[in-house]
């Protein structure tokens, strides 16, 4: 058997891990099949009939948002880099204030199922829906790649699977389960999977947090002191990761901007606002999400420093998964193979729930925006046909995600998550903000902003150190990184706002009456979509 971390003596128990994971899959598949009985129409499939309460949706949002990167990645970053690692948590959490204050209620009132509904409300339908769908598919695909490749890495770490073929097989299994959730259960089934996953993740983190604090007499100061002693470096001070050079500091500013602004433009998060019956419930959803996500990130502070103090920085870095192994190694240190198995299952559940949310968002965007409104020009006689197209699209997206995840095995996948946030902040957020708040904004400005932000963002990342030029880059033997920052947010996001303004003022198109209608609907909820009662 291969050690989870050869220098720590922790050994994974594949049979236990797979058994716990199988129980989770069996329970969630049962719930998904039950949910499918009420997923009969387009509104059921895309938005769960607008029937979830704010509290339920808030839990589901936290389940959708807290990915394996949040659990494994941030805990590992704090264990190794201390203060600088915790800044990721702050960025991810602060981002929700923008979602609460700028978009949650207004999007719920003006849209039906997708981002394209909002952006095309007062613009030319076909070009806007096409642009919104392209952006949604781009963000979802890169996010999916990171999650699927992460599943392969997690398997290598936790189930003692080291062969590429075996890892590829596990990625395929994750993809098939994900497709099953989406095709059978639709948004209702996916939402219940996310609620269960969020409950498991937060409960698991709570148990480990209390356990770690108990090791230090429930004294946080004692824990932090031991972490500093064990690390033999100032992990309570800023600068360990982002303080070496001016470029690294600027890189952190750029990453922070992308994280803070990207959340309010992530399509799989925005789509969740349509699963509640009113704007008031959408606001309650975000309040619940902020509370749960904030509590979870406080847990990661204890887990990260706890891993640093109890496991040790050198042991974590020596483990096959590097920083990502901090939380599993801490689980083994606290509760042996049983707790390790439970945390392993939670990590797998995390990946499954997130990829299911991404898949239904991407398939809904293609079916509703491209098929129904661009190809069919809004004249779809049979709404069931639109849902069938969404289900077929889920199969295609799942197959692409499986293939992409297998190709990305062993590569640096961090830039994929950063790219998803940066694309969302560059292509989606400026257009959303302008559409909701600027009367003069028109189709030309929207297209300039979305396509311009998308092209600039992806272009800069291709020519950044995230892809080539460094030992940590995706292409280690190539060198074409003329853009010095790993994340382009500090350039691409202002550029997208500028392009949106420029495209608008250079065009004579105006639709003031439609803006007035959109403003009344956004602020009052008049004529907004209502809950469906079965």
């Amino acid at each position: 058997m291969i050690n989870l971390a050869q220098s720590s003596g922790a050994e994974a128990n594949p049979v236990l891990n797979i058994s716990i994971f199988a129980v989770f899959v069996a329970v969630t598949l049962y719930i998904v099949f039950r949910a499918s009985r009420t997923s009969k129409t387009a509104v059921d499939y895309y938005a769960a009939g607008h029937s979830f309460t704010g509290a339920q949706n808030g839990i589901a949002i936290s389940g959708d948002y807290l990915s394996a990167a949040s659990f494994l990645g941030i805990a590992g970053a704090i264990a190794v880099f201390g203060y600088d690692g915790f800044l990721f948590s702050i960025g991810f959490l602060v981002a929700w204030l923008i979602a609460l204050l700028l978009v949650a209620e207004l999007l719920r009132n003006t849209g039906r199922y997708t981002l394209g509904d909002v952006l095309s409300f007062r613009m030319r339908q076909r070009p806007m829906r096409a642009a919104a769908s392209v952006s949604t598919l781009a963000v979802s695909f890169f996010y999916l790649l990171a999650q699927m490749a992460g599943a392969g890495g997690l398997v290598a770490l936790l189930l003692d699977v080291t062969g590429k073929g075996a890892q590829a097989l596990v990625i395929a299994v994750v993809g098939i389960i994900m497709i099953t959730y989406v095709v059978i259960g639709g948004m209702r089934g996916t939402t219940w999977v996310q609620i269960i996953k969020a409950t498991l993740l937060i409960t698991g983190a709570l148990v480990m947090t209390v356990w770690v604090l108990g090791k230090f007499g429930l004294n946080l100061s004692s824990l932090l002191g031991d972490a500093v002693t064990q690390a033999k470096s100032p992990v309570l001070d800023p600068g360990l990761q982002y303080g070496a050079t001016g470029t690294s500091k600027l890189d952190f500013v750029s990453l922070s901007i992308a994280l803070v602004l990207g959340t309010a433009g992530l399509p799989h998060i925005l789509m969740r606002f349509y699963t509640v019956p009113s704007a008031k419930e959408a606001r309650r959803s975000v309040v619940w999400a902020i509370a749960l996500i904030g509590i979870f990130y406080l847990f990661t502070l204890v887990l990260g420093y706890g891993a640093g103090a109890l496991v040790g920085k050198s042991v974590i870095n020596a483990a096959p998964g590097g920083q990502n192994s901090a939380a599993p190694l801490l689980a083994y240190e606290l509760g042996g193979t049983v707790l390790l198995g439970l945390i392993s299952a939670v990590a797998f559940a995390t990946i499954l729930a997130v990829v299911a949310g991404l898949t239904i968002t991407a398939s809904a965007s293609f079916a509703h925006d491209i098929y129904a409104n661009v190809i069919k020009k809004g004249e779809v006689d049979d709404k069931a046909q639109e849902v069938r197209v969404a289900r077929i699209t889920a199969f295609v997206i799942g197959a692409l995600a499986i293939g992409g995840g297998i190709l990305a095995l062993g590569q640096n996948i961090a830039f994929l998550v950063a790219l998803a946030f940066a694309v969302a902040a560059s292509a989606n957020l400026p257009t959303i903000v302008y559409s909701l708040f600027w009367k003069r904004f028109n189709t030309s400005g929207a297209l300039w902003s979305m396509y311009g932000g998308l092209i600039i963002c992806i272009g800069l990342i291709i020519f950044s150190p995230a892809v080539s030029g460094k030992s940590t880059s995706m292409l280690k033997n190539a060198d074409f990184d003329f853009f010095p920052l790993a994340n382009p947010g500090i350039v691409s996001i202002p550029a997208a706002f500028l392009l949106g303004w420029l495209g608008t003022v250079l065009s004579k198109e105006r639709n003031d009456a439609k803006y007035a209608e959109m403003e009344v609907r956004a602020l009052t909820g008049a004529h907004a979509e209502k809950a469906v009662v079965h």
Side-chain angles (χ1 to χ4, degrees), residues 1-12 156-158 160 311-322 325-326 328-330 332-333 340:
M1 184 175 286
I2 297 170
N3 283 347
L4 178 64
Q6 288 143 357
S7 54
S8 73
E11 290 189 350
L157 179 67
L158 299 172
D160 293 333
V311 179
K313 187 174 175 180
S314 58
V315 173
I316 293 168
N317 285 328
S325 62
L329 285 172
L330 177 62
Y332 182 85
E333 186 72 26
L340 175 60

Side-chain angles (χ1 to χ4, degrees), residues 58-311:
I59 298 170
I61 287 174
S62 66
D64 212 353
Y65 191 69
L66 296 172
S67 65
S70 295
F71 182 43
L72 302 175
I74 292 178
I78 294 171
V80 175
F81 298 112
Y83 180 94
D84 281 15
F86 188 57
L87 291 175
F88 281 91
S89 296
I90 296 171
F92 281 127
L93 179 61
V94 169
W96 280 98
L97 294 177
I98 295 175
L100 173 65
L101 298 174
L102 288 184
V103 301
E105 293 181 74
L106 305 182
L107 278 179
R108 172 61 187 84
N109 283 337
T110 53
R112 292 182 69 198
Y113 309 137
T114 67
L115 179 61
D117 290 332
V118 178
L119 300 183
S120 64
F121 190 94
R122 62 189 185 98
M123 312 292 179
R124 296 198 304 276
Q125 288 280 321
R126 296 179 74 191
M128 274 316 307
R129 286 189 180 275
S133 188
V134 167
S135 175
T136 296
L137 291 170
V139 174
S140 300
F141 182 68
F142 284 111
Y143 223 120
L144 271 172
L145 274 189
Q147 295 296 322
M148 299 297 277
L154 200 59
V155 169
L157 179 67
L158 299 172
L159 299 184
D160 293 333
V161 176
T162 54
K164 293 285 185 182
Q167 291 183 40
L169 178 62
V170 172
I171 287 178
V173 170
V174 170
I176 291 167
I177 297 171
M178 163 194 81
I179 292 168
T180 305
Y181 284 156
V182 173
V183 170
I184 295 174
M187 179 57 87
R188 197 185 305 274
T190 301
T191 299
W192 281 114
V193 171
Q194 289 164 343
I195 289 172
I196 294 169
K197 168 257 171 156
T199 304
L200 288 174
L201 181 62
I202 294 171
T203 302
L206 171 62
V207 169
M208 287 181 65
T209 298
V210 173
W211 205 326
V212 168
L213 288 174
K215 291 270 188 180
F216 296 90
L218 299 180
N219 188 326
L220 182 61
S221 296
S222 177
L223 165 63
L224 298 177
D226 273 33
V228 172
T229 303
Q230 180 72 258
K232 298 178 182 177
S233 60
V235 289
L236 298 182
D237 297 335
L240 280 184
Q241 186 175 9
Y242 290 105
T245 64
T247 302
S248 65
K249 292 178 181 178
L250 190 62
D251 210 0
F252 177 72
V253 172
S254 186
L255 176 64
S256 299
I257 292 172
L259 295 182
V260 170
L261 299 180
T263 297
L266 288 174
H268 66 291
I269 297 297
L270 300 179
M271 194 171 173
R272 293 231 52 87
F273 297 140
Y274 301 127
T275 64
V276 292
S278 66
K280 179 182 178 182
E281 291 299 304
R283 184 172 65 246
R284 284 189 66 214
S285 298
V286 180
V287 171
W288 270 84
I290 288 173
L292 293 172
I293 293 167
I295 290 169
F296 177 81
Y297 284 139
L298 287 177
F299 292 162
T300 63
L301 180 68
V302 174
L303 297 180
Y305 279 117
L310 296 174
V311 179

